[in-house]
Amino acid sequence: MARVREVLTRPLVVAVLVVAVGGAGFGLYWFQPWKLWQDTTVDEALPGVVTSEPSAGAPPAGSSGQPSPAPGPRTLASGELISHEHETTGTAKLVRLPDGSHVLRLEDLATSSGPDLRVWLTDAPVKRGLAGWRVFDDGEYVSLGALKGNKGSQNYVLPPDVDPAGYSSVSIWCDRFDVSFGAAELARA
């Protein structure tokens, strides 16, 4: 026992142990492997959707007697999410709300949780396989914020100065490792 204590108190051994413990702590912080087993489900309603019927005594919507178009959100573009670094499924929709603002809606999203995940609206083409993992930061992109949950349906408001016509894809982007978890090409409606 005295021999073990003598070895463990040598300066080189102490330094190696300190570096090993520090490296393990940094690795756990950087990679956050426990997130692979954690799910966060977010189910948000699409803003601007009228959920109640007009009352029976309400006057007609149009003054000319013609039915007016239903006020509500309009899908401008949509696409199915494909997997990149992690298996990812769901639908991405670019939606114009009745007030003229825009949201990106992720519906039925299922992906892995990870460190520093963001939702990006980009002008990059969506490529399958390894070729598509790192292309989204090569051109124009707008970060719409942190991914709210790795499962469910959620909305991301586009800043008012962003013209959605200039963007053709969406990526679930891991900012820490500069890699796409999954992406969708937005086909115009």
Side-chain angles (χ1 to χ4, degrees):
M1 185 69 167
R3 175 92 174 122
V4 171
R5 185 175 297 145
E6 181 183 327
V7 169
L8 289 178
T9 58
R10 288 186 180 164
L12 180 59
V13 172
V14 170
V16 167
L17 287 174
V18 167
V19 168
V21 169
F26 178 77
L28 286 172
Y29 166 76
W30 190 252
F31 289 98
Q32 299 177 358
W34 57 88
K35 287 194 172 188
L36 292 173
W37 296 280
Q38 294 177 334
D39 287 330
T40 302
T41 302
V42 174
D43 282 314
E44 296 178 325
L46 181 62
V49 175
V50 178
T51 57
S52 62
E53 301 273 330
S55 65
S63 60
S64 66
Q66 298 280 345
S68 61
R74 192 174 121 222
T75 300
L76 303 177
S78 66
E80 294 298 314
L81 289 159
I82 65 166
S83 300
H84 281 147
E85 172 71 19
H86 292 264
E87 186 169 339
T88 302
T89 60
T91 304
K93 293 182 179 181
L94 188 57
V95 179
R96 186 172 65 214
L97 301 177
D99 66 3
S101 64
H102 296 90
V103 297
L104 176 71
R105 178 157 175 86
L106 300 178
E107 290 184 342
D108 302 319
L109 173 67
T111 190
S112 298
S113 190
D116 206 13
L117 293 181
R118 305 284 172 185
V119 178
W120 280 11
L121 189 60
T122 79
D123 68 350
V126 175
K127 299 177 183 177
R128 294 196 176 274
L130 289 173
W133 285 21
R134 300 186 186 275
V135 299
F136 298 100
D137 59 351
D138 293 345
E140 293 291 320
Y141 64 89
V142 175
S143 177
L144 302 178
L147 185 68
K148 296 174 184 177
N150 64 313
K151 297 196 178 296
S153 297
Q154 44 210 266
N155 306 305
Y156 297 87
V157 177
L158 274 65
D161 61 336
V162 171
D163 179 10
Y167 300 93
S168 59
S169 61
V170 173
S171 174
I172 308 299
W173 185 256
C174 179
D175 221 14
R176 174 144 321 147
F177 295 105
D178 292 329
V179 67
S180 174
F181 271 37
E185 191 83 37
L186 293 173
R188 301 293 167 188

PDB file of all heavy atoms in Angstrom, residues 151-172:
ATOM      1  N   LYS A 151     -38.494  16.686 -31.060  1.00  0.00           N
ATOM      2  CA  LYS A 151     -39.688  15.984 -31.522  1.00  0.00           C
ATOM      3  C   LYS A 151     -40.873  16.953 -31.492  1.00  0.00           C
ATOM      4  O   LYS A 151     -40.901  17.890 -30.709  1.00  0.00           O
ATOM      5  CB  LYS A 151     -39.987  14.785 -30.631  1.00  0.00           C
ATOM      6  CG  LYS A 151     -38.877  13.739 -30.665  1.00  0.00           C
ATOM      7  CD  LYS A 151     -39.340  12.430 -30.104  1.00  0.00           C
ATOM      8  CE  LYS A 151     -38.258  11.390 -30.174  1.00  0.00           C
ATOM      9  NZ  LYS A 151     -37.836  11.027 -31.490  1.00  0.00           N
ATOM     10  N   GLY A 152     -41.831  16.724 -32.401  1.00  0.00           N
ATOM     11  CA  GLY A 152     -43.066  17.490 -32.386  1.00  0.00           C
ATOM     12  C   GLY A 152     -43.185  18.465 -33.538  1.00  0.00           C
ATOM     13  O   GLY A 152     -42.495  18.362 -34.548  1.00  0.00           O
ATOM     14  N   SER A 153     -44.104  19.430 -33.368  1.00  0.00           N
ATOM     15  CA  SER A 153     -44.374  20.460 -34.370  1.00  0.00           C
ATOM     16  C   SER A 153     -44.137  21.812 -33.733  1.00  0.00           C
ATOM     17  O   SER A 153     -44.662  22.091 -32.655  1.00  0.00           O
ATOM     18  CB  SER A 153     -45.815  20.350 -34.878  1.00  0.00           C
ATOM     19  OG  SER A 153     -46.012  19.107 -35.522  1.00  0.00           O
ATOM     20  N   GLN A 154     -43.374  22.655 -34.406  1.00  0.00           N
ATOM     21  CA  GLN A 154     -42.958  23.928 -33.807  1.00  0.00           C
ATOM     22  C   GLN A 154     -42.785  25.009 -34.861  1.00  0.00           C
ATOM     23  O   GLN A 154     -42.604  24.708 -36.041  1.00  0.00           O
ATOM     24  CB  GLN A 154     -41.681  23.739 -33.000  1.00  0.00           C
ATOM     25  CG  GLN A 154     -40.644  22.894 -33.688  1.00  0.00           C
ATOM     26  CD  GLN A 154     -39.761  22.111 -32.747  1.00  0.00           C
ATOM     27  OE1 GLN A 154     -38.711  22.600 -32.413  1.00  0.00           O
ATOM     28  NE2 GLN A 154     -40.164  20.921 -32.342  1.00  0.00           N
ATOM     29  N   ASN A 155     -42.881  26.262 -34.426  1.00  0.00           N
ATOM     30  CA  ASN A 155     -42.838  27.423 -35.307  1.00  0.00           C
ATOM     31  C   ASN A 155     -41.623  28.278 -34.993  1.00  0.00           C
ATOM     32  O   ASN A 155     -41.281  28.470 -33.825  1.00  0.00           O
ATOM     33  CB  ASN A 155     -44.096  28.269 -35.114  1.00  0.00           C
ATOM     34  CG  ASN A 155     -45.354  27.461 -35.285  1.00  0.00           C
ATOM     35  OD1 ASN A 155     -45.554  26.826 -36.297  1.00  0.00           O
ATOM     36  ND2 ASN A 155     -46.209  27.464 -34.270  1.00  0.00           N
ATOM     37  N   TYR A 156     -41.027  28.850 -36.055  1.00  0.00           N
ATOM     38  CA  TYR A 156     -39.882  29.750 -35.924  1.00  0.00           C
ATOM     39  C   TYR A 156     -40.177  31.002 -36.747  1.00  0.00           C
ATOM     40  O   TYR A 156     -40.355  30.910 -37.966  1.00  0.00           O
ATOM     41  CB  TYR A 156     -38.589  29.064 -36.395  1.00  0.00           C
ATOM     42  CG  TYR A 156     -38.273  27.866 -35.533  1.00  0.00           C
ATOM     43  CD1 TYR A 156     -38.808  26.622 -35.817  1.00  0.00           C
ATOM     44  CD2 TYR A 156     -37.487  28.011 -34.402  1.00  0.00           C
ATOM     45  CE1 TYR A 156     -38.562  25.531 -34.999  1.00  0.00           C
ATOM     46  CE2 TYR A 156     -37.227  26.925 -33.578  1.00  0.00           C
ATOM     47  CZ  TYR A 156     -37.766  25.689 -33.880  1.00  0.00           C
ATOM     48  OH  TYR A 156     -37.516  24.615 -33.068  1.00  0.00           O
ATOM     49  N   VAL A 157     -40.271  32.132 -36.089  1.00  0.00           N
ATOM     50  CA  VAL A 157     -40.627  33.391 -36.742  1.00  0.00           C
ATOM     51  C   VAL A 157     -39.443  33.912 -37.542  1.00  0.00           C
ATOM     52  O   VAL A 157     -38.320  33.965 -37.039  1.00  0.00           O
ATOM     53  CB  VAL A 157     -41.060  34.431 -35.679  1.00  0.00           C
ATOM     54  CG1 VAL A 157     -41.361  35.770 -36.331  1.00  0.00           C
ATOM     55  CG2 VAL A 157     -42.266  33.920 -34.902  1.00  0.00           C
ATOM     56  N   LEU A 158     -39.707  34.307 -38.791  1.00  0.00           N
ATOM     57  CA  LEU A 158     -38.671  34.926 -39.611  1.00  0.00           C
ATOM     58  C   LEU A 158     -38.581  36.403 -39.245  1.00  0.00           C
ATOM     59  O   LEU A 158     -39.623  37.052 -39.090  1.00  0.00           O
ATOM     60  CB  LEU A 158     -39.003  34.812 -41.103  1.00  0.00           C
ATOM     61  CG  LEU A 158     -38.564  33.535 -41.813  1.00  0.00           C
ATOM     62  CD1 LEU A 158     -39.276  32.314 -41.281  1.00  0.00           C
ATOM     63  CD2 LEU A 158     -38.762  33.691 -43.289  1.00  0.00           C
ATOM     64  N   PRO A 159     -37.380  36.931 -39.102  1.00  0.00           N
ATOM     65  CA  PRO A 159     -37.247  38.370 -38.846  1.00  0.00           C
ATOM     66  C   PRO A 159     -37.910  39.158 -39.981  1.00  0.00           C
ATOM     67  O   PRO A 159     -37.908  38.723 -41.133  1.00  0.00           O
ATOM     68  CB  PRO A 159     -35.734  38.601 -38.826  1.00  0.00           C
ATOM     69  CG  PRO A 159     -35.144  37.256 -38.528  1.00  0.00           C
ATOM     70  CD  PRO A 159     -36.084  36.256 -39.137  1.00  0.00           C
ATOM     71  N   PRO A 160     -38.486  40.339 -39.679  1.00  0.00           N
ATOM     72  CA  PRO A 160     -39.205  41.104 -40.699  1.00  0.00           C
ATOM     73  C   PRO A 160     -38.351  41.495 -41.900  1.00  0.00           C
ATOM     74  O   PRO A 160     -38.869  41.661 -42.999  1.00  0.00           O
ATOM     75  CB  PRO A 160     -39.673  42.357 -39.958  1.00  0.00           C
ATOM     76  CG  PRO A 160     -39.519  42.071 -38.514  1.00  0.00           C
ATOM     77  CD  PRO A 160     -38.540  40.955 -38.366  1.00  0.00           C
ATOM     78  N   ASP A 161     -37.041  41.638 -41.714  1.00  0.00           N
ATOM     79  CA  ASP A 161     -36.175  42.059 -42.823  1.00  0.00           C
ATOM     80  C   ASP A 161     -35.697  40.891 -43.698  1.00  0.00           C
ATOM     81  O   ASP A 161     -34.941  41.093 -44.638  1.00  0.00           O
ATOM     82  CB  ASP A 161     -34.974  42.835 -42.293  1.00  0.00           C
ATOM     83  CG  ASP A 161     -34.104  42.011 -41.355  1.00  0.00           C
ATOM     84  OD1 ASP A 161     -34.615  41.048 -40.748  1.00  0.00           O
ATOM     85  OD2 ASP A 161     -32.910  42.333 -41.227  1.00  0.00           O
ATOM     86  N   VAL A 162     -36.155  39.677 -43.432  1.00  0.00           N
ATOM     87  CA  VAL A 162     -35.747  38.502 -44.202  1.00  0.00           C
ATOM     88  C   VAL A 162     -36.782  38.237 -45.295  1.00  0.00           C
ATOM     89  O   VAL A 162     -37.968  38.069 -45.002  1.00  0.00           O
ATOM     90  CB  VAL A 162     -35.601  37.261 -43.293  1.00  0.00           C
ATOM     91  CG1 VAL A 162     -35.404  36.007 -44.116  1.00  0.00           C
ATOM     92  CG2 VAL A 162     -34.458  37.452 -42.326  1.00  0.00           C
ATOM     93  N   ASP A 163     -36.330  38.230 -46.559  1.00  0.00           N
ATOM     94  CA  ASP A 163     -37.196  37.902 -47.682  1.00  0.00           C
ATOM     95  C   ASP A 163     -37.151  36.386 -47.882  1.00  0.00           C
ATOM     96  O   ASP A 163     -36.131  35.843 -48.322  1.00  0.00           O
ATOM     97  CB  ASP A 163     -36.722  38.615 -48.947  1.00  0.00           C
ATOM     98  CG  ASP A 163     -37.572  38.281 -50.158  1.00  0.00           C
ATOM     99  OD1 ASP A 163     -38.641  37.642 -50.002  1.00  0.00           O
ATOM    100  OD2 ASP A 163     -37.165  38.659 -51.270  1.00  0.00           O
ATOM    101  N   PRO A 164     -38.235  35.679 -47.586  1.00  0.00           N
ATOM    102  CA  PRO A 164     -38.199  34.217 -47.689  1.00  0.00           C
ATOM    103  C   PRO A 164     -37.944  33.711 -49.103  1.00  0.00           C
ATOM    104  O   PRO A 164     -37.502  32.582 -49.277  1.00  0.00           O
ATOM    105  CB  PRO A 164     -39.577  33.782 -47.187  1.00  0.00           C
ATOM    106  CG  PRO A 164     -40.413  34.995 -47.140  1.00  0.00           C
ATOM    107  CD  PRO A 164     -39.518  36.184 -47.129  1.00  0.00           C
ATOM    108  N   ALA A 165     -38.192  34.531 -50.114  1.00  0.00           N
ATOM    109  CA  ALA A 165     -37.967  34.099 -51.495  1.00  0.00           C
ATOM    110  C   ALA A 165     -36.488  33.854 -51.781  1.00  0.00           C
ATOM    111  O   ALA A 165     -36.144  33.147 -52.722  1.00  0.00           O
ATOM    112  CB  ALA A 165     -38.514  35.151 -52.465  1.00  0.00           C
ATOM    113  N   GLY A 166     -35.596  34.404 -50.971  1.00  0.00           N
ATOM    114  CA  GLY A 166     -34.161  34.242 -51.189  1.00  0.00           C
ATOM    115  C   GLY A 166     -33.578  32.976 -50.593  1.00  0.00           C
ATOM    116  O   GLY A 166     -32.369  32.756 -50.670  1.00  0.00           O
ATOM    117  N   TYR A 167     -34.412  32.131 -50.009  1.00  0.00           N
ATOM    118  CA  TYR A 167     -33.924  30.930 -49.331  1.00  0.00           C
ATOM    119  C   TYR A 167     -34.648  29.705 -49.871  1.00  0.00           C
ATOM    120  O   TYR A 167     -35.847  29.737 -50.110  1.00  0.00           O
ATOM    121  CB  TYR A 167     -34.115  31.064 -47.822  1.00  0.00           C
ATOM    122  CG  TYR A 167     -33.349  32.251 -47.283  1.00  0.00           C
ATOM    123  CD1 TYR A 167     -33.959  33.493 -47.160  1.00  0.00           C
ATOM    124  CD2 TYR A 167     -32.013  32.124 -46.953  1.00  0.00           C
ATOM    125  CE1 TYR A 167     -33.241  34.590 -46.698  1.00  0.00           C
ATOM    126  CE2 TYR A 167     -31.289  33.216 -46.493  1.00  0.00           C
ATOM    127  CZ  TYR A 167     -31.914  34.444 -46.371  1.00  0.00           C
ATOM    128  OH  TYR A 167     -31.202  35.521 -45.930  1.00  0.00           O
ATOM    129  N   SER A 168     -33.912  28.621 -50.039  1.00  0.00           N
ATOM    130  CA  SER A 168     -34.476  27.442 -50.686  1.00  0.00           C
ATOM    131  C   SER A 168     -34.413  26.163 -49.846  1.00  0.00           C
ATOM    132  O   SER A 168     -34.843  25.114 -50.306  1.00  0.00           O
ATOM    133  CB  SER A 168     -33.745  27.192 -52.005  1.00  0.00           C
ATOM    134  OG  SER A 168     -32.357  27.005 -51.756  1.00  0.00           O
ATOM    135  N   SER A 169     -33.879  26.254 -48.639  1.00  0.00           N
ATOM    136  CA  SER A 169     -33.780  25.037 -47.823  1.00  0.00           C
ATOM    137  C   SER A 169     -33.758  25.375 -46.336  1.00  0.00           C
ATOM    138  O   SER A 169     -33.585  26.521 -45.941  1.00  0.00           O
ATOM    139  CB  SER A 169     -32.528  24.233 -48.193  1.00  0.00           C
ATOM    140  OG  SER A 169     -31.363  24.987 -47.962  1.00  0.00           O
ATOM    141  N   VAL A 170     -33.921  24.330 -45.545  1.00  0.00           N
ATOM    142  CA  VAL A 170     -33.914  24.413 -44.086  1.00  0.00           C
ATOM    143  C   VAL A 170     -32.943  23.367 -43.574  1.00  0.00           C
ATOM    144  O   VAL A 170     -32.878  22.267 -44.122  1.00  0.00           O
ATOM    145  CB  VAL A 170     -35.322  24.111 -43.527  1.00  0.00           C
ATOM    146  CG1 VAL A 170     -35.312  24.026 -42.021  1.00  0.00           C
ATOM    147  CG2 VAL A 170     -36.319  25.134 -44.005  1.00  0.00           C
ATOM    148  N   SER A 171     -32.202  23.716 -42.523  1.00  0.00           N
ATOM    149  CA  SER A 171     -31.305  22.736 -41.908  1.00  0.00           C
ATOM    150  C   SER A 171     -31.470  22.767 -40.392  1.00  0.00           C
ATOM    151  O   SER A 171     -31.611  23.840 -39.802  1.00  0.00           O
ATOM    152  CB  SER A 171     -29.849  23.050 -42.254  1.00  0.00           C
ATOM    153  OG  SER A 171     -28.975  22.184 -41.552  1.00  0.00           O
ATOM    154  N   ILE A 172     -31.467  21.588 -39.785  1.00  0.00           N
ATOM    155  CA  ILE A 172     -31.306  21.473 -38.338  1.00  0.00           C
ATOM    156  C   ILE A 172     -29.796  21.409 -38.161  1.00  0.00           C
ATOM    157  O   ILE A 172     -29.166  20.397 -38.466  1.00  0.00           O
ATOM    158  CB  ILE A 172     -31.980  20.202 -37.768  1.00  0.00           C
ATOM    159  CG1 ILE A 172     -33.440  20.108 -38.212  1.00  0.00           C
ATOM    160  CG2 ILE A 172     -31.829  20.161 -36.249  1.00  0.00           C
ATOM    161  CD1 ILE A 172     -34.319  21.237 -37.779  1.00  0.00           C
TER     162      ILE A 172
END
